[in-house]
């Protein structure tokens, strides 16, 4: 009972800490419910409601004004004008109103000349108001004069098929120029969201605080399901200060209760920004209770800033996991997500989660401890449903399976034709262990595949198995921590057949990078890599003796006499620390 009480107190402390707001952005945005039909009193009403409903105190501290506030530009000076009917008092007083309630204020613009609302919502006042050719002028107005703290920058005005002027702009150049203009204001606390409706490229990590990874969300299950499918393989591109944005929340609009739980819960564990999109002044009690789930919010704002990654596909359900509070600790958050139209029975294997011994599970939706379990846990996940748990185990084991969809491609982008530009992608595949593969890799050093967080408790010798797919002979160069190991020539015999190739590698103690590349031609598609510990290297640890399965060794590699002595235990090639 004492451990459970301490666990709950820890979660509440974590929830309180979200007020520091260094994680994904939380708050409310006008677009999902109102589109361009916004006004000053509506924004004030939402700012008041986010406080009175208790949401501000849980970390929802942004009030973001989206498209619809524009009033054109002054032809003589180029100064941005504000809609005289919708916002008769301008923006500065409204920002002050928001700030005076302990909140941050967000604004919207476009990287081109025209906004999305001017094209798709018939709002002609959105023409000519984009940042293009006015970067510094508008940045000074937004952040120095008005005092905004956040900006969402759309790209309708820079994409020829989205706008009547057919302007073609380069995303990297435009978002970089806008980021530099914000820096020139002297503000260092402004968060920019790059809204390009697909993962822009790895360059965006140095430019924006968050970036959209998909097209616009709508209040339907197919939309939520599609967005999740596109983000299951993006965990390697998220971290502190750079978050994958799965778009604003449709919670509380027209989804079922189970779908709302999946929507909110998966946004939390996958570290997406949490921007409420419903009318807060008339929010349903069930919706409010879900949005105020302190344990899910604490997960979203956890200071490790990890996006959950896929470790298994069980009976059509995706199993995702991530560390919380401490890297490679015994406490992990996990989700079992069912995208199917029928309920599914799932066996949750703790070995997939790198947890061993007795495992305590806590349901983060119901705030209930489920008990202690060994090896696995059986559960039923309803159609379109998700179960999210916090797991605390006796032991943390080393990760042995690294799926390709959890790896990083240095040149990864989703904006241009990847085959023409020779950049890798992630594809769904029924032949692959967790349902995805990395493909179209190679032809340059940057179009590689990297696992940058391969953790070895003590370092040593490992057997590396590469699961690959190739219907022809192709080469892979294997590099570990910048050291070339071997170039392999492989052929699995077909493009739906997974082959295996093994080789010996040595890992340093702590974090390692395993990299697969081919600088001159295509690589095979990659399903996964497996790691099996084979012994403590005599080079790395001269005093170490040979490690036998089931034997216990101290941290210098010396065999211990006591079965429960602190040291390294090897069980079927799976290494863990024994305490």
């Amino acid at each position: 009972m004492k451990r459970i009480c301490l666990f709950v107190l820890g979660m509440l402390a974590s929830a309180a800490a979200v007020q520091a707001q260094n994680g994904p952005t939380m708050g409310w945005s006008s677009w999902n419910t109102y589109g361009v039909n916004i006004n000053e009193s509506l924004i004030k009403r939402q700012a008041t409601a986010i406080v009175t409903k208790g949401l501000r105190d849980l970390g929802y501290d942004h009030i973001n004004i989206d498209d619809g506030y524009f009033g054109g530009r002054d032809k003589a000076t180029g100064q941005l004008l504000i809609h005289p009917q919708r916002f008769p008092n301008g923006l500065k007083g409204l920002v002050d109103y928001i700030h005076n309630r302990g909140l941050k204020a967000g604004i919207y613009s476009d990287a081109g000349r025209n906004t999305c609302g001017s094209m798709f919502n018939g709002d002609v006042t959105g023409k000519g108001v984009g940042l293009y050719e006015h970067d510094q002028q508008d940045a000074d107005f937004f952040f120095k004069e008005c005092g905004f703290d956040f900006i969402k920058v759309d790209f309708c005005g820079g994409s020829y098929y989205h706008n009547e002027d057919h302007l073609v702009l380069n995303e990297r150049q435009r978002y970089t120029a806008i980021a530099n203009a914000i820096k020139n204001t002297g503000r260092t606390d402004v968060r920019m969201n790059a809204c390009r409706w697909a993962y822009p490229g790895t360059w965006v990590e140095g430019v924006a605080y968050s970036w959209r990874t998909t097209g616009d969300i709508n209040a339907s299950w197919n939309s939520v399901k599609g967005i999740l499918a596109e983000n299951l393989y993006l965990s390697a591109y998220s971290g502190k200060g750079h978050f994958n944005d799965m778009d604003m929340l449709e919670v509380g609009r027209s989804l079922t209760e189970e779908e709302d739980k999946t929507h909110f819960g998966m946004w939390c564990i996958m570290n997406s920004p949490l921007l409420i999109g419903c009318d807060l002044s008339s929010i349903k009690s069930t919706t409010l209770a879900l949005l105020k789930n302190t344990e899910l919010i604490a997960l979203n704002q956890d200071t490790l800033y990890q996006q959950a990654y896929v470790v298994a596909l069980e009976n059509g359900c995706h199993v995702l996991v991530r560390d919380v509070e401490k890297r490679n600790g015994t406490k992990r958050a996990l989700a079992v997500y069912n995208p199917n139209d029928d309920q599914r029975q799932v066996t949750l294997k703790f070995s997939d989660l790198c947890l061993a011994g007795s495992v305590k599970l806590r349901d983060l939706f119901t705030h209930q401890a489920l008990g202690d379990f060994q090896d696995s846990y059986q559960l039923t996940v309803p159609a379109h449903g998700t179960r999210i748990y916090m797991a605390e185990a006796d032991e943390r084991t080393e990760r042995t399976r690294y799926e390709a969809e959890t790896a990083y491609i240095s040149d990864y982008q989703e904006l241009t034709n990847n085959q023409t530009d020779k950049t890798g992608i992630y594809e769904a595949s029924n032949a692959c262990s967790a349902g995805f593969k990395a493909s179209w890799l190679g032809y340059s050093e940057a179009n590689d595949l990297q696992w940058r967080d391969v953790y070895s408790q003590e370092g040593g010798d490992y057997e590396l198995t590469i699961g690959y797919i190739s219907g022809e002979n192709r080469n892979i160069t294997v590099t570990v921590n910048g050291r070339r190991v071997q170039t392999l020539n492989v052929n699995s015999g077909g493009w739906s057949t997974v082959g295996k190739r093994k080789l010996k590698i040595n890992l340093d103690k702590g974090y390692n990078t395993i990299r697969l590349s081919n600088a001159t031609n295509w690589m095979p598609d990659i399903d996964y890599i497996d790691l099996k510990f084979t012994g403590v290297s005599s080079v790395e640890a001269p005093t170490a003796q040979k490690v036998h399965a089931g034997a216990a060794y101290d941290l210098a590699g010396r065999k211990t006499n006591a079965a429960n002595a602190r040291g390294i235990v090897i069980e079927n090639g799976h290494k863990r620390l024994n305490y």
Side-chain angles (χ1 to χ4, degrees):
M1 177 63 72
K2 183 178 179 181
R3 287 190 64 185
I4 294 175
C5 291
L6 290 173
F7 177 85
V8 175
L9 289 172
M11 288 302 301
L12 292 175
S14 297
V18 302
Q19 296 179 55
Q21 264 288 330
N22 293 317
T25 304
M26 297 174 63
W28 177 88
S29 181
S30 61
W31 182 258
N32 283 6
T33 295
Y34 300 103
V36 298
N37 301 308
I38 57 175
N39 56 63
E40 179 180 313
S41 62
L42 184 154
I43 300 301
K44 287 183 175 180
R45 186 166 66 248
Q46 300 302 315
T48 299
I50 208 169
V51 175
T52 59
K53 301 289 185 180
L55 290 161
R56 179 198 60 186
D57 295 336
L58 296 178
Y60 294 96
D61 64 354
H62 281 68
I63 296 293
N64 292 346
I65 304 167
D66 211 286
D67 205 347
Y69 68 88
F70 297 101
R73 283 191 185 276
D74 184 283
K75 293 182 179 179
T77 65
Q79 176 61 43
L80 189 66
L81 302 177
I82 308 306
H83 199 290
Q85 286 77 42
R86 297 173 184 168
F87 295 86
N89 299 305
L91 294 178
K92 177 64 170 65
L94 184 54
V95 172
D96 291 343
Y97 182 92
I98 293 169
H99 283 167
N100 288 339
R101 278 146 187 80
L103 300 166
K104 297 180 184 297
I107 197 64
Y108 166 95
S109 191
D110 194 285
R113 289 194 184 99
N114 303 328
T115 73
C116 295
S118 71
M119 181 70 175
F120 298 106
N121 301 85
D123 192 358
V124 295
T125 58
K127 293 183 179 180
V129 299
L131 288 157
Y132 186 58
E133 299 177 325
H134 296 274
D135 289 348
Q136 197 61 57
Q137 184 179 30
D138 286 0
D140 289 343
F141 173 67
F142 288 141
F143 307 114
K144 292 176 69 174
E145 183 177 336
C146 294
F148 282 101
D149 310 288
F150 171 98
I151 186 168
K152 168 185 169 184
V153 183
D154 229 329
F155 209 78
C156 284
S159 179
Y160 73 94
Y161 56 88
H162 275 105
N163 226 305
E164 61 184 24
D165 64 353
H166 304 302
L167 190 65
V168 179
L169 298 177
N170 178 276
E171 291 87 347
R172 183 171 187 171
Q173 293 174 0
R174 288 301 299 128
Y175 283 115
T176 300
I178 294 165
N180 288 335
I182 295 172
K183 291 177 183 177
N184 291 340
T185 67
R187 293 281 300 275
T188 60
D189 59 336
V190 175
R191 296 183 177 186
M192 182 173 78
N193 175 269
C195 184
R196 184 51 184 88
W197 331 299
Y199 182 78
T202 52
W203 55 266
V204 78
E205 297 175 18
V207 174
Y209 192 84
S210 60
W211 43 84
R212 280 275 297 282
T213 56
T214 68
D216 288 359
I217 195 171
N218 62 64
S220 72
W221 170 246
N222 282 339
S223 176
V224 172
K225 176 182 176 180
I227 288 172
L228 285 171
E230 292 187 59
N231 281 270
L232 289 173
Y233 49 75
L234 292 179
S235 62
Y237 305 93
S238 178
K240 183 178 181 180
H242 49 274
F243 300 102
N244 293 316
D245 176 13
M246 302 199 293
D247 207 357
M248 298 165 286
L249 294 169
E250 293 282 9
V251 174
R253 301 197 66 210
S254 61
L255 297 171
T256 68
E257 183 177 350
E258 203 65 55
E259 290 165 352
D260 266 350
K261 288 169 61 180
T262 288
H263 180 10
F264 184 67
M266 289 296 283
W267 261 237
C268 285
I269 198 168
M270 296 178 76
N271 262 34
S272 176
L274 302 178
L275 293 173
I276 302 168
C278 64
D279 181 356
L280 292 176
S281 63
S282 60
I283 191 171
K284 295 179 292 187
S285 59
T286 53
T287 302
L288 185 60
L290 178 60
L291 292 172
K292 293 175 73 172
N293 185 314
T294 55
E295 295 185 67
L296 290 175
I297 293 171
L299 181 58
N300 181 260
Q301 297 292 311
D302 181 74
T303 55
L304 293 184
Y305 310 106
Q306 291 186 357
Q307 177 175 322
Y309 59 89
V310 176
V311 293
L313 184 63
E314 293 289 339
N315 194 20
C317 296
H318 299 281
V319 180
L320 299 90
V321 71
R322 55 179 275 193
D323 290 339
V324 291
E325 299 178 5
K326 178 183 177 181
R327 296 185 75 181
N328 288 287
T330 56
K331 186 176 180 180
R332 311 198 79 190
L334 65 113
V336 184
Y337 159 55
N338 179 13
N340 303 287
D341 296 332
D342 58 342
Q343 72 175 21
R344 298 293 173 100
Q345 306 296 319
V346 174
T347 299
L348 179 65
K349 296 188 287 290
F350 298 144
S351 58
D352 288 337
L353 310 176
C354 302
L355 299 176
S358 179
V359 178
K360 293 181 182 297
L361 290 181
R362 178 176 175 82
D363 189 318
L364 299 193
F365 283 116
T366 65
H367 309 294
Q368 293 181 341
L370 302 180
D372 294 9
F373 303 90
Q374 299 281 337
D375 301 325
S376 64
Y377 176 69
Q378 305 288 329
L379 67 150
T380 300
V381 188
H384 307 174
T386 297
R387 296 295 178 259
I388 298 180
Y389 305 117
M390 190 66 71
E392 281 193 284
D394 290 339
E395 303 166 7
R396 175 67 180 267
T397 60
E398 282 190 3
R399 185 176 169 187
T400 57
R401 169 63 57 93
Y402 290 78
E403 298 289 350
E405 57 267 33
T406 68
Y408 182 89
I409 301 172
S410 299
D411 254 0
Y412 186 63
Q413 57 85 29
E414 296 179 353
L415 298 183
T416 63
N417 186 296
N418 75 285
Q419 296 176 35
T420 300
D421 290 352
K422 293 184 173 60
T423 58
I425 60 172
Y426 304 90
E427 294 183 290
S429 173
N430 292 331
C432 294
S433 57
F436 292 93
K437 64 178 180 178
S439 57
W440 298 98
L441 302 164
Y443 261 112
S444 73
E445 288 291 354
N447 193 24
D448 57 359
L449 192 67
Q450 297 186 41
W451 291 268
R452 302 186 297 177
D453 57 351
V454 178
Y455 185 75
S456 175
Q457 291 168 333
E458 293 300 320
D461 295 327
Y462 287 77
E463 179 182 79
L464 171 67
T465 301
I466 302 173
Y468 66 91
I469 302 172
S470 181
E472 60 188 26
N473 291 336
R474 291 190 175 183
N475 289 339
I476 314 171
T477 295
V478 181
T479 305
V480 177
N481 298 328
R483 302 184 295 268
R484 181 183 176 278
V485 178
Q486 190 175 343
T487 296
L488 307 174
N489 183 263
V490 299
N491 187 332
S492 67
W495 290 104
S496 60
T497 301
V498 179
K500 297 179 182 180
R501 188 64 180 271
K502 298 181 179 182
L503 67 159
K504 296 179 180 179
I505 64 171
N506 182 270
L507 297 181
D508 297 337
K509 179 180 179 179
Y511 291 96
N512 298 261
T513 296
I514 296 178
R515 177 173 178 264
L516 309 182
S517 64
N518 185 330
T520 59
N521 214 318
W522 294 117
M523 278 172 54
D525 297 345
I526 304 297
D527 181 6
Y528 63 87
I529 60 171
D530 279 343
L531 288 171
K532 181 180 179 181
F533 181 72
T534 58
V536 179
S537 170
S538 58
V539 175
E540 298 295 327
T543 60
Q545 301 179 24
K546 186 177 180 180
V547 179
H548 298 282
Y553 291 78
D554 65 20
L555 299 184
R558 295 181 291 268
K559 190 172 182 179
T560 62
N561 294 321
N564 62 349
R566 182 176 186 270
I568 303 171
V569 176
I570 312 301
E571 295 175 348
N572 299 320
H574 196 96
K575 184 172 69 165
R576 61 178 171 82
L577 287 179
N578 185 50
Y579 291 93

